[in-house]
Amino acid sequence: MLIAKVILAAGQSSRFNGCKLTADLGAGQTMIEHGVNILQALDSSPVFVVTGAWHKEVKNILVNNKNIKLIENKQWDKGLGDSIATATKAILENQQPDGILFILADQVELTTKHLSELVTNFKRHPSRWCANYGERLGVPVIFPKVDLSRLSDLTTDKGAQHLLRCTDEEVNTINLKCASLDIDTQAQLNDFLNKTR
């Protein structure tokens, strides 16, 4: 079963006052490298990285990483939905996956173990699988083949949230409160670093 793996990393990170994707998380690992590493540890298939506002910076950081495919979304300012659509179209040009796994580049507490649980459940029962933060549902998420044409047509800046809330397809979840942490500001990054030291 082929599950394409995507990191969404196209946003401007305006509240961070700079490129958070190249921020050091410790042990010489940047934020974008953390996302790449946890996805690469799942299996040997390539990791797709959707870039945008900070394309050159991300490209420079990942220049020596193997088995990565950069997808530049030149319309990144249209929002998350456009990045999801851009990634889905690019993947479907080259392969026909059974599903697509999406994570956000700034979900710094995610581990390969978390993603592996999601993948294992999807393989047992191919349908929508996502994280349950306790108060809402969100990424990481795996969308099955039946959703891929819908993902290709997304335009909203809300991403694919409506697909997790609607009832026309089954939505399954794993409890993953740590996935609710994404880094938007320098203060949040400092809090995370202080907590992990």
Side-chain angles (χ1 to χ4, degrees), residues 103-190:
I103 70 169
L104 301 178
D106 59 2
Q107 290 182 294
V108 292
E109 289 190 335
L110 279 185
T111 67
T112 300
K113 184 178 179 183
H114 296 140
L115 300 179
S116 182
E117 183 181 355
L118 209 59
V119 167
T120 298
N121 281 305
F122 178 84
K123 287 181 175 178
R124 287 188 189 133
H125 183 60
S127 55
R128 294 173 187 163
W129 280 90
C130 68
N132 185 335
Y133 301 165
E135 297 174 355
R136 62 191 176 92
L137 307 181
V139 283
V141 60
I142 305 178
F143 288 105
K145 189 183 293 185
V146 69
D147 283 329
L148 301 189
S149 63
R150 294 184 227 199
L151 296 182
S152 296
D153 293 335
L154 286 178
T155 56
T156 171
D157 65 357
K158 303 277 190 211
Q161 269 289 327
H162 64 288
L163 295 181
L164 302 182
R165 290 196 297 263
C166 70
T167 56
D168 64 334
E169 295 287 342
E170 182 181 0
V171 179
N172 297 283
T173 67
I174 63 170
N175 292 324
L176 205 55
K177 192 161 179 54
C178 73
S180 65
L181 174 67
D182 53 58
I183 302 297
D184 291 322
T185 65
Q186 295 274 357
Q188 287 176 326
L189 177 62
N190 289 333

